[in-house]
Amino acid sequence: MLLLRALILLVSFMALPVQAATLEELVAQLPEGKFDERAEVIDKIATTGDPRAVPLLEALSEGELQQMKKTDAIVRVVREGKIFTAFDPLTGAEIGEIGRRDARKIRVNNRLRRQISNAVAVMTLQAPDREVRLEAAAQAFKSGDPGKLPALRAALELEEDAEVRSAFEDAVAAATLGSDAGEAEKIAALELLAGRADQQALSLVTRAAEGEGAVAAAAQAALEQIENARFAWGLAQNVWYGLSLGSVLMLAAIGLA
């Protein structure tokens, strides 16, 4: 009878849903195991959706996340000259100055750094805050990193805000130009970038025009479109400036009269 009750309790316990680890618990797991195990913890941290995870993972990638030797506490250590200052890795609160050998780095390799970069991209591109998403899209466009294409496409598919969608489309186009995508995709990206007519788009298209084949020809056409648009915009600005200055001078003349 006792054995039967024990078995019932065991089965009931196993049937209970497993509660996901908190961000704090996952942070405590970061120093443990090999790089593959650390990679699994990083994935779990990214899927929490907690905004505190972004600066945490960035600190880990930059080698600033360390474990205190005496307490095992995880801290972010910032060095200024010979001074080492510890901060709470989740709140950013300053803990205080520590000795040079009081903590050990939580090590990452290049594969983990790439994983962290992609995880941070996903978290910022899909952040609840619209302004954060816009800034993330702008940074992705500026970098033109083809490694962020999966994250950008996933964010674009979910995005409902028209302005943010447009920013994501531009970032996808910039990343596509630097990727191993086919000619059709790169030509479509160039056509999209030609409509921006700003300096960043001009730089991207100029680099694409230096190659050969259909992509280079499309880039050359996009260059001409951008340069024409910039010329027209400059002319309009000059006309507006001239009209504004003329109006001021006319009013001044009327005042003197």
Side-chain angles (χ1 to χ4, degrees):
M1 186 66 179
L2 288 174
L3 179 59
L4 178 61
R5 291 182 63 184
L7 286 172
I8 292 172
L9 285 172
L10 178 61
V11 171
S12 300
F13 176 77
M14 293 175 66
L16 290 174
V18 178
Q19 186 175 3
T22 65
L23 182 57
E24 287 78 5
E25 290 169 338
L26 291 170
V27 170
Q29 294 173 21
L30 277 173
E32 300 172 3
K34 298 180 180 179
F35 286 131
D36 287 344
E37 294 168 302
R38 204 160 293 162
E40 292 179 7
V41 177
I42 290 169
D43 280 339
K44 290 176 182 178
I45 289 174
T47 56
T48 62
D50 194 314
R52 298 176 299 170
V54 173
L56 170 78
L57 290 178
E58 289 175 338
L60 175 61
S61 180
E62 292 165 6
E64 293 180 346
L65 213 60
Q66 301 189 25
Q67 183 178 37
M68 299 297 295
K69 293 179 180 178
K70 288 185 178 180
T71 65
D72 289 337
I74 308 301
V75 295
R76 178 185 172 217
V77 178
V78 177
R79 177 180 179 179
E80 293 183 5
K82 295 182 179 181
I83 298 175
F84 296 79
T85 306
F87 296 84
D88 187 299
L90 296 178
T91 66
E94 183 175 335
I95 297 171
E97 187 176 336
I98 63 173
R100 180 180 179 181
R101 303 183 186 278
D102 287 349
R104 63 176 69 89
K105 285 186 179 182
I106 301 175
R107 300 193 177 278
V108 293
N109 56 18
N110 288 335
R111 183 173 68 85
L112 287 182
R113 288 190 183 91
R114 287 192 295 271
Q115 179 186 350
I116 291 170
S117 177
N118 289 331
V120 169
V122 170
M123 286 187 286
T124 53
L125 290 168
Q126 296 184 22
D129 190 324
R130 175 182 180 276
E131 297 305 316
V132 172
R133 299 198 305 277
L134 270 175
E135 177 60 25
Q139 291 299 322
F141 176 79
K142 186 177 180 180
S143 71
D145 181 3
K148 290 187 171 56
L149 271 173
L152 285 165
R153 285 170 176 155
L156 178 59
E157 188 175 345
L158 296 172
E159 188 57 58
E160 297 179 353
D161 185 288
E163 184 181 358
V164 180
R165 276 191 65 85
S166 179
F168 282 165
E169 287 169 352
D170 289 348
V172 167
T176 298
L177 286 182
S179 72
D180 57 359
E183 284 187 348
E185 284 185 79
K186 290 190 175 184
I187 290 171
L190 287 164
E191 290 172 352
L192 179 66
L193 292 174
R196 282 183 59 113
D198 61 9
Q199 187 59 46
Q200 287 182 321
L202 182 63
S203 298
L204 287 167
V205 175
T206 299
R207 285 199 295 270
E210 294 171 354
E212 297 179 355
V215 173
Q220 191 60 49
L223 264 181
E224 293 176 6
Q225 183 178 337
I226 291 174
E227 288 170 352
N228 289 338
R230 287 168 67 86
F231 175 78
W233 176 245
L235 186 62
Q237 283 184 313
N238 289 336
V239 170
W240 173 253
Y241 176 76
L243 289 173
S244 300
L245 181 60
S247 299
V248 170
L249 292 174
M250 185 177 68
L251 289 172
I254 292 172
L256 289 172

Short mmCIF file of all heavy atoms in Angstrom, two decimals, residues 37-100:
data_model
loop_
_atom_site.label_atom_id
_atom_site.label_comp_id
_atom_site.label_asym_id
_atom_site.label_seq_id
_atom_site.Cartn_x
_atom_site.Cartn_y
_atom_site.Cartn_z
N GLU A 37 27.36 23.80 -23.52
CA GLU A 37 26.37 23.98 -22.46
C GLU A 37 26.08 25.46 -22.24
O GLU A 37 24.95 25.86 -21.97
CB GLU A 37 26.89 23.33 -21.17
CG GLU A 37 27.00 21.81 -21.29
CD GLU A 37 27.78 21.19 -20.16
OE1 GLU A 37 28.96 21.56 -19.97
OE2 GLU A 37 27.22 20.34 -19.46
N ARG A 38 27.12 26.28 -22.37
CA ARG A 38 26.93 27.73 -22.24
C ARG A 38 26.05 28.26 -23.38
O ARG A 38 25.24 29.16 -23.18
CB ARG A 38 28.30 28.41 -22.26
CG ARG A 38 28.34 29.77 -21.59
CD ARG A 38 29.75 30.14 -21.22
NE ARG A 38 30.28 29.25 -20.19
CZ ARG A 38 31.56 29.11 -19.92
NH1 ARG A 38 32.46 29.77 -20.61
NH2 ARG A 38 31.96 28.31 -18.96
N ALA A 39 26.21 27.65 -24.55
CA ALA A 39 25.38 28.05 -25.70
C ALA A 39 23.90 27.80 -25.42
O ALA A 39 23.04 28.60 -25.79
CB ALA A 39 25.83 27.30 -26.95
N GLU A 40 23.60 26.69 -24.77
CA GLU A 40 22.21 26.37 -24.44
C GLU A 40 21.65 27.38 -23.45
O GLU A 40 20.48 27.79 -23.57
CB GLU A 40 22.13 24.96 -23.85
CG GLU A 40 22.44 23.85 -24.86
CD GLU A 40 22.38 22.47 -24.23
OE1 GLU A 40 21.98 22.38 -23.05
OE2 GLU A 40 22.75 21.49 -24.91
N VAL A 41 22.46 27.79 -22.48
CA VAL A 41 22.01 28.78 -21.50
C VAL A 41 21.75 30.12 -22.18
O VAL A 41 20.77 30.81 -21.89
CB VAL A 41 23.04 28.94 -20.37
CG1 VAL A 41 22.61 30.03 -19.39
CG2 VAL A 41 23.23 27.62 -19.64
N ILE A 42 22.62 30.49 -23.12
CA ILE A 42 22.45 31.75 -23.86
C ILE A 42 21.13 31.74 -24.63
O ILE A 42 20.39 32.74 -24.64
CB ILE A 42 23.64 31.98 -24.81
CG1 ILE A 42 24.90 32.31 -24.00
CG2 ILE A 42 23.35 33.12 -25.80
CD1 ILE A 42 26.17 32.30 -24.81
N ASP A 43 20.81 30.62 -25.27
CA ASP A 43 19.54 30.50 -25.98
C ASP A 43 18.36 30.68 -25.03
O ASP A 43 17.37 31.36 -25.36
CB ASP A 43 19.43 29.13 -26.66
CG ASP A 43 20.21 29.07 -27.97
OD1 ASP A 43 20.48 30.16 -28.54
OD2 ASP A 43 20.54 27.97 -28.42
N LYS A 44 18.45 30.07 -23.86
CA LYS A 44 17.37 30.19 -22.87
C LYS A 44 17.22 31.63 -22.39
O LYS A 44 16.11 32.12 -22.19
CB LYS A 44 17.62 29.25 -21.68
CG LYS A 44 17.47 27.78 -22.04
CD LYS A 44 17.82 26.89 -20.85
CE LYS A 44 17.72 25.42 -21.21
NZ LYS A 44 18.11 24.53 -20.08
N ILE A 45 18.35 32.31 -22.20
CA ILE A 45 18.31 33.71 -21.78
C ILE A 45 17.63 34.56 -22.84
O ILE A 45 16.79 35.42 -22.55
CB ILE A 45 19.74 34.23 -21.50
CG1 ILE A 45 20.29 33.61 -20.23
CG2 ILE A 45 19.76 35.76 -21.39
CD1 ILE A 45 21.75 33.94 -19.95
N ALA A 46 17.96 34.30 -24.11
CA ALA A 46 17.37 35.08 -25.21
C ALA A 46 15.87 34.87 -25.30
O ALA A 46 15.13 35.81 -25.63
CB ALA A 46 18.04 34.70 -26.52
N THR A 47 15.40 33.65 -25.01
CA THR A 47 13.97 33.36 -25.15
C THR A 47 13.14 33.85 -23.97
O THR A 47 11.91 33.76 -24.01
CB THR A 47 13.73 31.85 -25.33
OG1 THR A 47 14.33 31.14 -24.23
CG2 THR A 47 14.35 31.35 -26.63
N THR A 48 13.79 34.37 -22.92
CA THR A 48 13.01 34.91 -21.80
C THR A 48 12.23 36.16 -22.22
O THR A 48 11.20 36.48 -21.63
CB THR A 48 13.91 35.27 -20.61
OG1 THR A 48 14.83 36.30 -21.01
CG2 THR A 48 14.67 34.05 -20.10
N GLY A 49 12.77 36.88 -23.22
CA GLY A 49 12.12 38.12 -23.62
C GLY A 49 12.33 39.25 -22.63
O GLY A 49 11.77 40.34 -22.78
N ASP A 50 13.15 39.02 -21.63
CA ASP A 50 13.42 40.02 -20.60
C ASP A 50 14.36 41.09 -21.18
O ASP A 50 15.44 40.76 -21.68
CB ASP A 50 14.08 39.36 -19.39
CG ASP A 50 14.10 40.24 -18.15
OD1 ASP A 50 14.45 41.43 -18.28
OD2 ASP A 50 13.78 39.74 -17.07
N PRO A 51 13.97 42.39 -21.12
CA PRO A 51 14.83 43.44 -21.68
C PRO A 51 16.19 43.54 -21.01
O PRO A 51 17.15 44.04 -21.59
CB PRO A 51 14.01 44.71 -21.47
CG PRO A 51 13.02 44.38 -20.42
CD PRO A 51 12.72 42.93 -20.59
N ARG A 52 16.32 43.03 -19.78
CA ARG A 52 17.61 43.06 -19.08
C ARG A 52 18.61 42.09 -19.71
O ARG A 52 19.81 42.18 -19.46
CB ARG A 52 17.41 42.69 -17.61
CG ARG A 52 16.53 43.64 -16.83
CD ARG A 52 16.31 43.14 -15.41
NE ARG A 52 15.65 41.84 -15.40
CZ ARG A 52 15.50 41.07 -14.33
NH1 ARG A 52 16.00 41.47 -13.16
NH2 ARG A 52 14.87 39.90 -14.40
N ALA A 53 18.10 41.17 -20.55
CA ALA A 53 18.98 40.17 -21.15
C ALA A 53 19.90 40.77 -22.20
O ALA A 53 20.99 40.25 -22.43
CB ALA A 53 18.13 39.05 -21.78
N VAL A 54 19.48 41.86 -22.84
CA VAL A 54 20.30 42.45 -23.91
C VAL A 54 21.64 42.99 -23.37
O VAL A 54 22.69 42.57 -23.85
CB VAL A 54 19.52 43.55 -24.65
CG1 VAL A 54 20.43 44.28 -25.63
CG2 VAL A 54 18.35 42.94 -25.41
N PRO A 55 21.64 43.91 -22.39
CA PRO A 55 22.94 44.37 -21.87
C PRO A 55 23.73 43.26 -21.19
O PRO A 55 24.97 43.28 -21.19
CB PRO A 55 22.57 45.48 -20.87
CG PRO A 55 21.13 45.25 -20.54
CD PRO A 55 20.53 44.64 -21.75
N LEU A 56 23.03 42.28 -20.62
CA LEU A 56 23.71 41.15 -19.99
C LEU A 56 24.53 40.37 -21.02
O LEU A 56 25.72 40.10 -20.83
CB LEU A 56 22.69 40.23 -19.34
CG LEU A 56 23.23 38.88 -18.85
CD1 LEU A 56 23.98 39.06 -17.55
CD2 LEU A 56 22.13 37.85 -18.72
N LEU A 57 23.89 40.01 -22.15
CA LEU A 57 24.57 39.24 -23.18
C LEU A 57 25.67 40.06 -23.86
O LEU A 57 26.71 39.51 -24.24
CB LEU A 57 23.56 38.73 -24.21
CG LEU A 57 22.60 37.65 -23.71
CD1 LEU A 57 21.63 37.25 -24.80
CD2 LEU A 57 23.36 36.42 -23.22
N GLU A 58 25.44 41.35 -24.02
CA GLU A 58 26.47 42.20 -24.61
C GLU A 58 27.71 42.24 -23.71
O GLU A 58 28.84 42.20 -24.20
CB GLU A 58 25.92 43.61 -24.84
CG GLU A 58 24.92 43.67 -25.98
CD GLU A 58 24.29 45.05 -26.13
OE1 GLU A 58 24.29 45.83 -25.15
OE2 GLU A 58 23.77 45.34 -27.22
N ALA A 59 27.49 42.30 -22.40
CA ALA A 59 28.62 42.29 -21.45
C ALA A 59 29.35 40.96 -21.51
O ALA A 59 30.59 40.91 -21.44
CB ALA A 59 28.11 42.55 -20.04
N LEU A 60 28.60 39.86 -21.69
CA LEU A 60 29.22 38.55 -21.81
C LEU A 60 30.08 38.47 -23.06
O LEU A 60 31.22 37.99 -23.03
CB LEU A 60 28.13 37.47 -21.86
CG LEU A 60 28.59 36.03 -22.09
CD1 LEU A 60 29.53 35.57 -20.97
CD2 LEU A 60 27.39 35.10 -22.20
N SER A 61 29.57 38.99 -24.17
CA SER A 61 30.31 38.97 -25.43
C SER A 61 31.58 39.81 -25.36
O SER A 61 32.60 39.46 -25.96
CB SER A 61 29.42 39.48 -26.57
OG SER A 61 30.10 39.46 -27.80
N GLU A 62 31.54 40.91 -24.59
CA GLU A 62 32.67 41.82 -24.50
C GLU A 62 33.68 41.41 -23.43
O GLU A 62 34.68 42.11 -23.20
CB GLU A 62 32.16 43.24 -24.21
CG GLU A 62 31.38 43.84 -25.38
CD GLU A 62 30.58 45.06 -24.99
OE1 GLU A 62 30.73 45.51 -23.82
OE2 GLU A 62 29.80 45.57 -25.82
N GLY A 63 33.42 40.29 -22.75
CA GLY A 63 34.35 39.81 -21.73
C GLY A 63 34.24 40.54 -20.40
O GLY A 63 35.15 40.44 -19.56
N GLU A 64 33.14 41.24 -20.19
CA GLU A 64 32.97 42.00 -18.94
C GLU A 64 32.22 41.22 -17.87
O GLU A 64 32.21 41.63 -16.71
CB GLU A 64 32.24 43.30 -19.22
CG GLU A 64 33.03 44.28 -20.07
CD GLU A 64 32.28 45.57 -20.33
OE1 GLU A 64 31.05 45.63 -20.08
OE2 GLU A 64 32.92 46.54 -20.78
N LEU A 65 31.58 40.11 -18.26
CA LEU A 65 30.82 39.34 -17.27
C LEU A 65 31.77 38.40 -16.55
O LEU A 65 32.47 37.59 -17.18
CB LEU A 65 29.71 38.56 -17.98
CG LEU A 65 28.42 38.35 -17.18
CD1 LEU A 65 27.81 39.69 -16.82
CD2 LEU A 65 27.43 37.50 -17.96
N GLN A 66 31.80 38.51 -15.22
CA GLN A 66 32.75 37.73 -14.43
C GLN A 66 32.06 37.13 -13.20
O GLN A 66 30.97 37.57 -12.81
CB GLN A 66 33.94 38.60 -14.00
CG GLN A 66 34.68 39.21 -15.19
CD GLN A 66 35.97 39.90 -14.78
OE1 GLN A 66 36.56 39.57 -13.76
NE2 GLN A 66 36.42 40.85 -15.59
N GLN A 67 32.73 36.15 -12.61
CA GLN A 67 32.22 35.51 -11.41
C GLN A 67 33.16 35.78 -10.24
O GLN A 67 34.37 35.54 -10.35
CB GLN A 67 32.07 34.00 -11.62
CG GLN A 67 31.45 33.28 -10.42
CD GLN A 67 31.28 31.79 -10.69
OE1 GLN A 67 32.11 31.17 -11.33
NE2 GLN A 67 30.19 31.23 -10.18
N MET A 68 32.61 36.30 -9.15
CA MET A 68 33.42 36.57 -7.96
C MET A 68 33.93 35.25 -7.38
O MET A 68 33.17 34.28 -7.26
CB MET A 68 32.59 37.33 -6.92
CG MET A 68 32.08 38.69 -7.39
SD MET A 68 33.42 39.86 -7.77
CE MET A 68 34.15 40.08 -6.15
N LYS A 69 35.20 35.22 -7.02
CA LYS A 69 35.81 33.97 -6.56
C LYS A 69 35.30 33.55 -5.17
O LYS A 69 35.14 32.36 -4.90
CB LYS A 69 37.33 34.12 -6.54
CG LYS A 69 37.94 34.26 -7.93
CD LYS A 69 39.45 34.45 -7.87
CE LYS A 69 40.06 34.58 -9.26
NZ LYS A 69 41.52 34.80 -9.23
N LYS A 70 35.05 34.50 -4.31
CA LYS A 70 34.66 34.16 -2.94
C LYS A 70 33.17 33.84 -2.82
O LYS A 70 32.78 32.93 -2.10
CB LYS A 70 35.01 35.30 -1.99
CG LYS A 70 36.51 35.44 -1.73
CD LYS A 70 36.78 36.51 -0.68
CE LYS A 70 38.27 36.62 -0.38
NZ LYS A 70 38.55 37.66 0.64
N THR A 71 32.32 34.59 -3.53
CA THR A 71 30.87 34.44 -3.36
C THR A 71 30.17 33.74 -4.53
O THR A 71 29.00 33.39 -4.42
CB THR A 71 30.22 35.83 -3.19
OG1 THR A 71 30.40 36.58 -4.41
CG2 THR A 71 30.85 36.58 -2.03
N ASP A 72 30.88 33.58 -5.66
CA ASP A 72 30.31 33.00 -6.89
C ASP A 72 29.28 33.92 -7.55
O ASP A 72 28.62 33.53 -8.52
CB ASP A 72 29.66 31.63 -6.63
CG ASP A 72 30.69 30.55 -6.35
OD1 ASP A 72 31.85 30.72 -6.78
OD2 ASP A 72 30.34 29.54 -5.72
N ALA A 73 29.13 35.13 -7.03
CA ALA A 73 28.17 36.07 -7.62
C ALA A 73 28.64 36.48 -9.02
O ALA A 73 29.84 36.63 -9.27
CB ALA A 73 28.04 37.30 -6.74
N ILE A 74 27.69 36.67 -9.93
CA ILE A 74 28.00 37.10 -11.29
C ILE A 74 27.91 38.62 -11.34
O ILE A 74 26.91 39.21 -10.92
CB ILE A 74 27.02 36.50 -12.32
CG1 ILE A 74 26.95 34.97 -12.15
CG2 ILE A 74 27.44 36.87 -13.74
CD1 ILE A 74 28.26 34.27 -12.34
N VAL A 75 28.97 39.26 -11.84
CA VAL A 75 29.02 40.72 -11.90
C VAL A 75 29.53 41.16 -13.27
O VAL A 75 30.15 40.38 -13.99
CB VAL A 75 29.93 41.30 -10.80
CG1 VAL A 75 29.37 41.02 -9.42
CG2 VAL A 75 31.36 40.75 -10.94
N ARG A 76 29.24 42.39 -13.58
CA ARG A 76 29.85 43.00 -14.77
C ARG A 76 31.00 43.87 -14.27
O ARG A 76 30.80 44.74 -13.42
CB ARG A 76 28.82 43.86 -15.49
CG ARG A 76 29.40 44.56 -16.72
CD ARG A 76 28.39 45.50 -17.34
NE ARG A 76 29.03 46.31 -18.39
CZ ARG A 76 28.74 47.58 -18.63
NH1 ARG A 76 27.83 48.20 -17.91
NH2 ARG A 76 29.35 48.23 -19.60
N VAL A 77 32.18 43.64 -14.81
CA VAL A 77 33.37 44.35 -14.35
C VAL A 77 33.84 45.31 -15.44
O VAL A 77 34.10 44.91 -16.57
CB VAL A 77 34.50 43.38 -13.97
CG1 VAL A 77 35.74 44.15 -13.54
CG2 VAL A 77 34.04 42.44 -12.86
N VAL A 78 33.94 46.58 -15.06
CA VAL A 78 34.42 47.61 -15.98
C VAL A 78 35.76 48.11 -15.48
O VAL A 78 35.90 48.49 -14.31
CB VAL A 78 33.42 48.79 -16.07
CG1 VAL A 78 33.97 49.88 -16.98
CG2 VAL A 78 32.08 48.29 -16.60
N ARG A 79 36.73 48.11 -16.38
CA ARG A 79 38.08 48.53 -16.01
C ARG A 79 38.37 49.92 -16.54
O ARG A 79 38.13 50.22 -17.71
CB ARG A 79 39.10 47.54 -16.57
CG ARG A 79 40.54 47.94 -16.29
CD ARG A 79 41.52 46.93 -16.86
NE ARG A 79 42.91 47.34 -16.60
CZ ARG A 79 43.96 46.62 -16.98
NH1 ARG A 79 43.79 45.47 -17.62
NH2 ARG A 79 45.19 47.05 -16.71
N GLU A 80 38.87 50.78 -15.67
CA GLU A 80 39.34 52.11 -16.06
C GLU A 80 40.75 52.27 -15.50
O GLU A 80 40.94 52.52 -14.32
CB GLU A 80 38.42 53.20 -15.52
CG GLU A 80 37.04 53.18 -16.15
CD GLU A 80 36.18 54.32 -15.66
OE1 GLU A 80 36.69 55.18 -14.91
OE2 GLU A 80 34.99 54.36 -16.02
N GLY A 81 41.74 52.09 -16.38
CA GLY A 81 43.12 52.12 -15.92
C GLY A 81 43.39 50.94 -15.02
O GLY A 81 43.24 49.79 -15.43
N LYS A 82 43.78 51.21 -13.77
CA LYS A 82 44.06 50.15 -12.82
C LYS A 82 42.91 49.90 -11.86
O LYS A 82 43.03 49.12 -10.91
CB LYS A 82 45.32 50.49 -12.03
CG LYS A 82 46.59 50.55 -12.88
CD LYS A 82 47.81 50.84 -12.02
CE LYS A 82 49.08 50.87 -12.88
NZ LYS A 82 50.29 51.14 -12.06
N ILE A 83 41.78 50.56 -12.12
CA ILE A 83 40.62 50.42 -11.23
C ILE A 83 39.59 49.49 -11.87
O ILE A 83 39.21 49.66 -13.03
CB ILE A 83 39.99 51.81 -10.96
CG1 ILE A 83 40.99 52.71 -10.24
CG2 ILE A 83 38.71 51.65 -10.12
CD1 ILE A 83 40.51 54.12 -10.03
N PHE A 84 39.13 48.49 -11.09
CA PHE A 84 38.13 47.54 -11.54
C PHE A 84 36.86 47.76 -10.70
O PHE A 84 36.90 47.63 -9.48
CB PHE A 84 38.62 46.10 -11.37
CG PHE A 84 39.81 45.77 -12.22
CD1 PHE A 84 41.09 46.17 -11.85
CD2 PHE A 84 39.65 45.07 -13.40
CE1 PHE A 84 42.20 45.87 -12.63
CE2 PHE A 84 40.76 44.76 -14.20
CZ PHE A 84 42.03 45.17 -13.81
N THR A 85 35.77 48.09 -11.38
CA THR A 85 34.51 48.36 -10.68
C THR A 85 33.48 47.32 -11.08
O THR A 85 33.28 47.04 -12.27
CB THR A 85 33.98 49.76 -11.01
OG1 THR A 85 35.00 50.72 -10.75
CG2 THR A 85 32.75 50.08 -10.18
N ALA A 86 32.80 46.75 -10.08
CA ALA A 86 31.79 45.73 -10.32
C ALA A 86 30.40 46.36 -10.32
O ALA A 86 30.10 47.26 -9.54
CB ALA A 86 31.87 44.65 -9.25
N PHE A 87 29.55 45.86 -11.23
CA PHE A 87 28.17 46.31 -11.34
C PHE A 87 27.25 45.10 -11.35
O PHE A 87 27.64 44.01 -11.79
CB PHE A 87 27.95 47.11 -12.63
CG PHE A 87 28.73 48.39 -12.70
CD1 PHE A 87 30.05 48.40 -13.14
CD2 PHE A 87 28.15 49.60 -12.34
CE1 PHE A 87 30.77 49.58 -13.23
CE2 PHE A 87 28.86 50.78 -12.42
CZ PHE A 87 30.18 50.77 -12.87
N ASP A 88 26.02 45.30 -10.92
CA ASP A 88 25.01 44.25 -11.04
C ASP A 88 24.71 44.07 -12.52
O ASP A 88 24.37 45.03 -13.21
CB ASP A 88 23.74 44.66 -10.30
CG ASP A 88 22.71 43.53 -10.26
OD1 ASP A 88 22.28 43.10 -11.35
OD2 ASP A 88 22.32 43.11 -9.17
N PRO A 89 24.84 42.86 -13.07
CA PRO A 89 24.70 42.68 -14.52
C PRO A 89 23.27 42.84 -15.03
O PRO A 89 23.07 42.99 -16.24
CB PRO A 89 25.19 41.24 -14.74
CG PRO A 89 24.91 40.56 -13.45
CD PRO A 89 25.13 41.59 -12.39
N LEU A 90 22.29 42.83 -14.13
CA LEU A 90 20.89 42.95 -14.55
C LEU A 90 20.30 44.33 -14.29
O LEU A 90 19.52 44.84 -15.09
CB LEU A 90 20.04 41.88 -13.85
CG LEU A 90 20.39 40.44 -14.21
CD1 LEU A 90 19.51 39.47 -13.44
CD2 LEU A 90 20.24 40.21 -15.70
N THR A 91 20.69 44.95 -13.17
CA THR A 91 20.14 46.27 -12.85
C THR A 91 21.07 47.40 -13.25
O THR A 91 20.64 48.54 -13.40
CB THR A 91 19.85 46.37 -11.35
OG1 THR A 91 21.09 46.34 -10.63
CG2 THR A 91 18.95 45.25 -10.88
N GLY A 92 22.37 47.09 -13.39
CA GLY A 92 23.35 48.14 -13.69
C GLY A 92 23.81 48.89 -12.46
O GLY A 92 24.64 49.80 -12.56
N ALA A 93 23.29 48.53 -11.29
CA ALA A 93 23.67 49.23 -10.06
C ALA A 93 25.14 48.95 -9.73
O ALA A 93 25.62 47.82 -9.85
CB ALA A 93 22.79 48.78 -8.91
N GLU A 94 25.84 50.00 -9.30
CA GLU A 94 27.25 49.85 -8.96
C GLU A 94 27.40 49.10 -7.64
O GLU A 94 26.75 49.43 -6.65
CB GLU A 94 27.93 51.22 -8.87
CG GLU A 94 29.42 51.13 -8.59
CD GLU A 94 30.12 52.48 -8.63
OE1 GLU A 94 29.61 53.39 -9.30
OE2 GLU A 94 31.18 52.62 -7.97
N ILE A 95 28.26 48.09 -7.63
CA ILE A 95 28.53 47.33 -6.42
C ILE A 95 29.74 47.89 -5.69
O ILE A 95 29.75 48.00 -4.46
CB ILE A 95 28.76 45.84 -6.77
CG1 ILE A 95 27.48 45.25 -7.37
CG2 ILE A 95 29.19 45.05 -5.53
CD1 ILE A 95 27.65 43.86 -7.94
N GLY A 96 30.75 48.26 -6.46
CA GLY A 96 31.93 48.87 -5.86
C GLY A 96 33.21 48.37 -6.49
O GLY A 96 33.22 47.49 -7.35
N GLU A 97 34.30 48.95 -6.04
CA GLU A 97 35.62 48.60 -6.58
C GLU A 97 36.03 47.22 -6.07
O GLU A 97 35.78 46.88 -4.90
CB GLU A 97 36.64 49.65 -6.16
CG GLU A 97 38.01 49.46 -6.79
CD GLU A 97 38.98 50.58 -6.41
OE1 GLU A 97 38.50 51.69 -6.07
OE2 GLU A 97 40.20 50.33 -6.45
N ILE A 98 36.64 46.43 -6.96
CA ILE A 98 37.12 45.11 -6.57
C ILE A 98 38.59 44.99 -6.96
O ILE A 98 39.10 45.78 -7.76
CB ILE A 98 36.31 43.98 -7.23
CG1 ILE A 98 36.46 44.04 -8.75
CG2 ILE A 98 34.85 44.04 -6.81
CD1 ILE A 98 35.84 42.85 -9.47
N GLY A 99 39.25 43.98 -6.42
CA GLY A 99 40.64 43.74 -6.76
C GLY A 99 40.77 43.10 -8.14
O GLY A 99 39.83 42.47 -8.64
N ARG A 100 41.93 43.22 -8.69
CA ARG A 100 42.18 42.71 -10.04
C ARG A 100 41.94 41.21 -10.14
O ARG A 100 41.48 40.71 -11.17
CB ARG A 100 43.61 43.04 -10.45
CG ARG A 100 44.00 42.56 -11.83
CD ARG A 100 45.42 42.93 -12.15
NE ARG A 100 45.81 42.46 -13.47
CZ ARG A 100 47.02 42.64 -14.00
NH1 ARG A 100 47.95 43.28 -13.31
NH2 ARG A 100 47.29 42.17 -15.21
#
